[in-house]
Amino acid sequence: TELAYMAAMLRDKHEVLLVDAQSRDIDNEKLQGIIDDFKPDVSVLSSATFQSWRCFPLTTRHITNAAPLLKGIKILTGPHGSYRTGVFQNYFDIVIKGEPEEAVVKIVNNDWADLQGVGFKTDNGWVERPGTNSVRDYDALPFPAYELLPEKQIRKLDIFQINTTRGCPYVCTFCVRTMWGRIYRKMSPENLAKQVRFIKDNFGFER
């Protein structure tokens, strides 16, 4: 979902391509062709813990195998980079810790001199700034740019997930709290209703 949020925040000033490789069953060879055709100045790769929650090394291998396919400035977001930023320093130019939407916009717009919660390459080696990025006002985010995904990809879904909250004050050992933080934030009922209506009207979901 965060990639769709980022696409929505960037598309007014930048040409954006949104690729959901997992649900479209895109392997590395197909992904390489898509990236080569688009020729991006910045590539953002994200992963979700539930895709491989049992094994951090397995997901790390998937991420590092995909990294060489990317073009331009290579940025990693998601829980794996948030948890072990330095693990990916040989594969990415920038790794964002925490919620990435506002941070990626700052980086793409070259306005991130004071950005915290990020690891990045320099001429003198890898630098990590402390902190974690967090979107304080959930309703300030635009609707995710789901329409940039192929319509047939969305219409084949049996269910459509909307994330309505972020953060949790508890400390369960199995949870990736390094990604979402401990401050609980929620989407307003009004915003949720608008998103449900938008999805229903545009993608054919009836209930």
Side-chain angles (χ1 to χ4, degrees), residues 17 21 29 52 64 67 80 88 109 148 167 171:
L17 176 67
E29 184 178 353
S52 186
T64 54
H80 304 92
F88 303 100
N109 290 329
L148 295 182
V171 290

Side-chain angles (χ1 to χ4, degrees), residues 136-160:
R136 298 295 180 180
D137 184 359
Y138 210 164
D139 285 339
L141 295 174
F143 282 11
Y146 296 124
E147 66 275 13
L148 295 182
L149 295 169
E151 185 175 346
K152 63 181 181 180
Q153 173 188 346
I154 297 176
R155 289 186 177 274
K156 74 177 183 180
L157 299 175
D158 295 321
I159 60 173
F160 199 103

